[in-house]
Amino acid sequence: MDDASGSKVVLPKRFHTQVEVRWSDMDAFQHVNHARMVTLLEEARIPWLLEPGRPTAALGTGCVLADLRVRYRGQLRHEDTPLDIAMWIQQLRAVDFTIGYEVRAAGAAPDSPAAVIASTQIAAFDMSAQRLRRLTDAERDYLAEWLD
């Protein structure tokens, strides 16, 4: 991608996925409802982190959401579907990690302002012991590939 001066712009490494907006995601003001946006973020991280074969797939059977932050910079409507959701790792620690999100309407340029900026802190959890667990080396290595 080139900037206005013709120089190459290098965007940071992001996992991109598209998520469809459903009619039921809309509120009375005809934009995506806040609670539904949180669900769309959850749906976006599934193919990145929880698909079979991913080093982080085991988190699907044991993780907890420790923190959630969502900031709205613009409206998203049904006609903006499918939403482009870019994700990366903002922070990586022994038992948890924080995911950054940028949500844009379909067809928006990757360097355009995001309509939604969010983050979720997710902690690995041992369901049988009912306590936090350390991320495995394979999980940490995979997540570190997306660290920004």
Side-chain angles (χ1 to χ4, degrees), residues 24-83:
S24 61
D25 295 334
M26 309 306 293
D27 65 14
F29 303 107
Q30 299 303 306
H31 58 252
V32 177
N33 174 277
H34 170 71
R36 298 301 193 151
M37 179 54 65
V38 171
T39 299
L40 294 171
L41 295 175
E42 179 181 15
E43 290 174 8
R45 65 181 176 258
I46 290 170
W48 180 35
L49 300 176
L50 304 179
E51 289 288 322
R54 297 261 192 233
T56 50
L59 292 170
T61 60
C63 68
V64 293
L65 186 70
D67 187 57
L68 167 70
R69 296 167 193 254
V70 183
R71 291 178 289 164
Y72 296 93
R73 302 291 191 224
Q75 294 185 48
L76 291 169
R77 300 174 179 270
H78 189 267
E79 58 265 20
D80 295 324
T81 198
L83 301 178

